[in-house]
Amino acid sequence: LKINKKSLHVLYISVFFLIINIFTINLIYRGKMKTIKKDWNEEKIKSSVNELLDNFDEGELFVEEVYSENIFFDDNKIKNASYDQDKGFGLRTVNNDSVNFAHNTELSDEAFSKAIKSVKEQQKLNPNPPKFKNLNSNLSLYTNENPIDKVTLTQKINFLNKVNTFAREIDERVKEVSVSLNGNHQNIEVITKNGDIFYDSRPLVRMNINITVQKKNKVETGSFGMGGRYLYDELLNESNWKNGVKKAYEQAIVKLSAKETPAGEQIVILGPGWPGILLHEAIGHGLEGDFNRKKTSAFFDLVGNKIASDQVSVVDDGTINKRRGSLTIDDEGTPSQNTMLIENGILKGFMHDRLNAGLMNQSPTGNGRRQSYSHLPMPRMTNTYMLNGKYEHDELIKSTKKGIYASQFSGGQVDITSGKFVFSASEAYEIIDGKICSPLKGATLIGNGPEILKEVTMVANNLKLDDGIGTCGKEGQSVPVGVGQPSLKVRNLTVGGTI
């Protein structure tokens, strides 16, 4: 490898500034308190929030600080490293379905006074606001330690280099390797009516691995990601990251021998774990409270009705330790919970924030989420998955004379109003005479969320949650989520292929 003096000089400068950035962040974090540092009178703010909200149906003061990092290793070197911090507050008041909102990056008495004035000017007060019960706090589902501060820059660089070297030595067909580390530490405070105040400190880490292989003139890429609400030590665990490298490599190798997917209506078996993203998109969004209150969801008037095969039961569970979508409390201060959405094919209810729950005479379910202090909360999923069925995975395969087994998915789109979806399978195989055969490429699943639930004929007992990589977008806001399911068999699904 030849490096000229100019390139070497640029490399030295880049590493120097990278070290300075890391050192600065480490100084910020060292000895950090759980509470957020603010330049305002805490008791005065608490009293002002209570006085303000006493005239409104609902609302809260949401205070947040976030520290985040992203390190990207590619082409045998660090290509990019960023370290950021942000903090601010959002003040929301609600009357009926009318919302007033003000936010600021400055945590000062002056900034808060301006926010109070702003929301008061936006709307008339309610002389008879409803009374809500005090919220209760949950037990913490994850450590409150900051993951970024627990591993040094040198350790992170050595780790990424080790992963890169291991991946390249697997096979001479490996041509490109990229690995990224992402760390995030979010501290929040939520002040609600009656002077209630809630705290949460949320770690979040993620690692992505991409491996490109080449055989003659054919090039394919495989990927693997893992993460959750824990510290970097789980990602740095040798057995975990080596397993990730091997999965990314095997996915790429399989694609080298994949053949074109036949198009048409077919039996489709979805694998366990990440394929639950189809459930999340095609059905999950339609079960969020705001869409149903506004009657734009296909499910809005179907509570208590049979909407799926009696083998289908679906929950949204924000209470699982260390999971990416889990929350001790949501962004309105409501404890997270395990909410039954569909039970044995019967629609039981929806996911709610406090606003939509109040308007629908329901109870909030701990699903009020927001991207940051500058965004309004809305009903969002946490960890959404289908419960186990009664069959063994192999029974689903053996009972299928001809079909497709889709074990991994990439991108997709869904129309919330109609429930129609389109999803691309990143890893799929043909099934012939009850056996998994050749790998396929270009498989696209096309269908309707409400209808696909009725076409489920077998659900296996091998429930698996995803590896911790899900990010959900809604109305311009992104939040971390989890998905999962056991293997399931759909008797009739449109497959868009390449032949």
Side-chain angles (χ1 to χ4, degrees):
L1 179 64
K2 295 181 180 180
I3 303 177
N4 58 42
K5 291 183 178 180
K6 184 177 180 181
S7 298
L8 197 59
H9 181 66
V10 171
L11 178 62
Y12 285 152
I13 293 175
S14 299
V15 172
F16 173 75
F17 281 108
L18 181 60
I19 292 173
I20 292 296
N21 283 338
I22 291 287
F23 181 70
T24 302
I25 290 298
N26 284 340
L27 283 180
I28 291 171
Y29 270 109
R30 198 165 288 124
K32 181 182 68 62
M33 301 293 290
K34 292 181 184 179
T35 54
I36 302 169
K37 294 181 179 179
K38 301 172 284 292
D39 297 320
W40 63 33
N41 184 307
E42 199 76 28
E43 287 303 315
K44 180 181 176 181
I45 295 296
K46 187 176 177 180
S47 175
S48 298
V49 171
N50 187 46
E51 182 181 349
L52 172 70
L53 297 181
D54 196 45
N55 297 298
F56 289 89
D57 292 351
E58 184 58 80
E60 73 286 314
L61 174 65
F62 179 85
V63 189
E64 175 191 41
E65 68 174 359
V66 178
Y67 297 88
S68 59
E69 72 172 358
N70 178 36
I71 306 175
F72 180 58
F73 193 95
D74 183 45
D75 196 21
N76 293 304
K77 58 181 176 290
I78 291 179
K79 281 286 186 71
N80 179 60
S82 62
Y83 299 84
D84 302 293
Q85 66 179 88
D86 189 20
K87 67 178 180 178
F89 72 87
L91 179 64
R92 181 183 68 145
T93 61
V94 179
N95 265 345
N96 196 19
D97 61 351
S98 178
V99 177
N100 302 323
F101 185 63
H103 62 88
N104 202 307
T105 58
E106 184 181 340
L107 302 181
S108 68
D109 288 321
E110 182 181 359
F112 182 73
S113 295
K114 289 180 180 178
I116 288 271
K117 182 179 179 181
S118 175
V119 296
K120 282 184 176 180
E121 289 176 347
Q122 292 177 46
Q123 179 179 340
K124 293 181 179 179
L125 305 182
N126 186 349
N128 298 301
K131 301 297 181 181
F132 289 89
K133 293 181 179 179
N134 289 350
L135 303 175
N136 296 312
S137 180
N138 260 2
L139 294 175
S140 181
L141 301 172
Y142 30 76
T143 178
N144 58 29
E145 293 183 288
N146 161 40
I148 299 174
D149 193 36
K150 292 294 181 179
V151 182
T152 67
L153 171 63
T154 300
Q155 289 173 314
K156 291 168 187 170
I157 292 176
N158 288 342
F159 168 70
L160 293 171
N161 189 56
K162 185 189 296 185
V163 176
N164 175 69
T165 300
F166 178 78
R168 290 180 180 276
E169 291 178 349
I170 288 180
D171 187 338
E172 61 181 11
R173 291 174 291 181
V174 174
K175 301 302 178 184
E176 295 179 16
V177 177
S178 65
V179 191
S180 66
L181 276 179
N182 305 87
N184 185 285
H185 195 222
Q186 179 195 34
N187 295 302
I188 69 165
E189 295 179 12
V190 184
I191 302 176
T192 62
K193 281 189 174 185
N194 306 316
D196 290 331
I197 182 167
F198 304 91
Y199 303 88
D200 200 14
S201 189
R202 305 166 177 169
L204 189 67
V205 296
R206 175 174 169 170
M207 175 179 66
N208 285 356
I209 303 169
N210 288 280
I211 296 177
T212 299
V213 298
Q214 182 174 357
K215 183 178 181 180
K216 296 182 180 180
N217 294 324
K218 193 170 184 179
V219 178
E220 295 290 350
T221 299
S223 63
F224 178 82
M226 63 177 291
R229 293 200 181 279
Y230 44 73
L231 303 179
Y232 276 134
D233 55 355
E234 294 199 30
L235 300 184
L236 273 57
N237 179 283
E238 186 170 310
S239 62
N240 288 340
W241 67 259
K242 281 187 175 180
N243 176 63
V245 169
K246 290 175 181 178
K247 285 188 175 182
Y249 163 76
E250 289 166 359
Q251 187 182 100
I253 291 298
V254 165
K255 289 181 179 179
L256 285 176
S257 59
K259 65 181 187 179
E260 308 293 338
T261 299
E265 291 190 348
Q266 303 185 50
I267 293 173
V268 175
I269 295 175
L270 304 177
W274 181 244
I277 188 64
L278 192 152
L279 180 77
H280 168 103
E281 293 289 356
I283 296 131
H285 279 296
L287 299 181
E288 292 170 334
D290 50 352
F291 294 126
N292 289 281
R293 177 178 65 83
K294 298 172 185 176
K295 300 182 180 181
T296 56
S297 167
F299 300 103
F300 80 89
D301 59 349
L302 296 178
V303 173
N305 291 303
K306 187 176 179 64
I307 64 168
S309 159
D310 57 11
Q311 297 188 52
V312 173
S313 293
V314 178
V315 300
D316 182 83
D317 187 359
T319 69
I320 312 172
N321 285 340
K322 298 183 178 182
R323 294 302 306 179
R324 182 173 172 85
S326 293
L327 298 168
T328 300
I329 56 172
D330 71 7
D331 295 328
E332 298 178 307
T334 306
S336 60
Q337 66 181 53
N338 185 348
T339 303
M340 180 64 72
L341 301 173
I342 302 171
E343 185 175 23
N344 299 326
I346 305 298
L347 179 60
K348 290 296 184 176
F350 306 120
M351 293 166 276
H352 288 298
D353 61 348
R354 289 177 67 79
L355 183 155
N356 287 281
L359 293 172
M360 297 177 73
N361 294 317
Q362 302 292 320
S363 298
T365 57
N367 291 92
R369 307 188 64 187
R370 63 180 99 202
Q371 180 174 311
S372 76
Y373 64 87
S374 62
H375 296 81
L376 286 165
M378 65 179 81
R380 304 294 300 272
M381 284 174 273
T382 56
N383 304 299
T384 311
Y385 56 93
M386 185 181 294
L387 301 183
N388 268 327
K390 61 183 179 180
Y391 297 96
E392 297 294 329
H393 171 79
D394 288 346
E395 291 183 78
L396 277 63
I397 305 296
K398 291 177 180 178
S399 66
T400 305
K401 184 171 182 61
K402 183 175 177 57
I404 289 178
Y405 174 57
S407 57
Q408 291 294 331
F409 283 93
S410 51
Q413 294 180 330
V414 62
D415 181 337
I416 300 299
T417 302
S418 66
K420 294 180 180 179
F421 64 83
V422 178
F423 264 87
S424 299
S426 57
E427 190 173 338
Y429 303 84
E430 64 178 350
I431 301 174
I432 298 177
D433 294 329
K435 296 180 180 180
I436 295 177
C437 299
S438 301
L440 301 171
K441 64 179 180 181
T444 302
L445 304 187
I446 305 167
N448 178 284
E451 293 303 319
I452 192 177
L453 293 177
K454 299 173 184 176
E455 297 294 323
V456 174
T457 59
M458 300 176 77
V459 178
N461 58 6
N462 61 341
L463 169 64
K464 179 183 175 184
L465 300 180
D466 75 289
D467 293 300
I469 60 173
T471 298
C472 174
K474 177 179 175 181
E475 296 183 20
Q477 294 192 43
S478 296
V479 295
V481 296
V483 300
Q485 66 175 44
S487 300
L488 60 93
K489 182 175 179 178
V490 184
R491 65 182 160 205
N492 192 22
L493 189 58
T494 301
V495 178
T498 47
I499 57 174

